[in-house]
Amino acid sequence: MTPPAFAQLSAGDLVLASASSTRAKILDDAGLDYRCYPVAIDEESVRASAKAEAVAVGDIAIILAEMKAAAAVQRLALETDPSPAFVLGCDQILACDEVIYSKPLDQTMAKAQLMALSGKTHQLFSAAVLYREGKRIWHHLAIAKITMRELDEDFIKSYLDRLG
């Protein structure tokens, strides 16, 4: 059986539209050769607009992953000749009780989020979108259900203090 095309990439053929060390580690662990090419999109505006239009959380994650991949494809087309064969865009959204959580900006926000998630089951929506030669060819959405144990304020404070 011949492996799929994405598993037969030549060096430089895959671009990860992200600066995420976690996403990079996944590709490293898979043995793929790639380069990171982070792009900036206004994720908060997209999330707010999608939520106002009652777009499902999983679809928001796919939209954001697509926007990242498309932005990288467009910028790379201006910078390189030829552009890379594959561009991968990814996004994750954490949601609980119809609230979408963003990365906390500070310890106060982190504490509030941990308190809100304490003792509850929440969902992590992970989306990936793959472009080949400038065209979207594949996407995937995975949903993980995570139940957080009850956390008291002392534990949260200690945890956040250790993170710095």
Side-chain angles (χ1 to χ4, degrees), residues 56-126:
V57 176
D59 291 340
I60 297 171
I62 294 169
I63 289 166
L64 289 167
E66 166 122 20
M67 289 178 73
K68 292 172 186 178
V73 165
Q74 290 171 359
R75 283 187 34 211
L76 285 162
L78 298 173
E79 296 175 9
T80 61
D81 184 27
S83 61
F86 294 92
V87 176
L88 178 64
C90 304
D91 194 71
Q92 288 184 314
I93 296 178
L94 181 69
C96 182
D97 296 335
E98 300 183 32
V99 174
I100 293 175
Y101 291 88
S102 300
K103 291 177 187 166
L105 301 174
D106 55 32
Q107 283 204 357
T108 302
M109 188 176 183
K111 178 182 177 184
Q113 287 185 7
L114 289 170
M115 294 290 289
L117 296 170
S118 176
K120 295 183 181 172
T121 298
H122 48 279
Q123 294 178 309
L124 181 63
F125 297 82
S126 300

Side-chain angles (χ1 to χ4, degrees), residues 111 114-115 118-119 149-159:
K111 178 182 177 184
L114 289 170
M115 294 290 289
S118 176
R149 68 179 174 95
E150 291 279 342
L151 307 175
D152 60 36
E153 285 192 50
D154 289 339
F155 176 86
I156 292 172
K157 181 182 180 330
S158 174
Y159 172 75

